[in-house]
Amino acid sequence: MDLEKLKRIKNLIIAKILFVFGWIYDLAMRILNAVNKTPIEKDKDRRNVRIKQFAIATSILYVIFNSIFI
């Protein structure tokens, strides 16, 4: 197979895994009802923290999967 095609397939698999991870995270937050428990001011602060945590976790997973497939 062509090397470019393998790279595209690898990136597609990584994107799908990260999408599923985000979807599961979103479902967990909805189940816990964590977004709507607090007043608006505190909710914005907590949401910002969750966004940062999600971004860090996603980037760590991306690096791990990327290093595995290399």
Side-chain angles (χ1 to χ4, degrees):
M1 291 182 88
D2 187 39
L3 188 61
E4 271 309 305
K5 190 172 183 179
L6 288 175
K7 284 183 182 179
R8 279 187 258 140
I9 291 172
K10 176 192 75 165
N11 288 337
L12 179 66
I13 290 171
I14 291 171
K16 292 285 184 181
I17 290 171
L18 293 178
F19 174 77
V20 170
F21 176 74
W23 179 68
I24 291 170
Y25 181 83
D26 184 51
L27 282 179
M29 287 297 113
R30 288 181 191 211
I31 289 170
L32 294 174
N33 199 12
V35 175
N36 297 324
K37 279 186 178 177
T38 59
I40 293 174
E41 296 82 20
K42 291 181 182 177
D43 189 39
K44 285 183 181 178
D45 293 338
R46 286 187 174 187
R47 191 177 306 132
N48 289 340
V49 169
R50 277 191 214 99
I51 289 171
K52 289 176 186 175
Q53 289 172 343
F54 179 72
I56 291 170
T58 304
S59 59
I60 289 172
L61 281 176
Y62 177 76
V63 168
I64 289 171
F65 287 125
N66 205 11
S67 63
I68 288 172
F69 287 116
I70 289 177

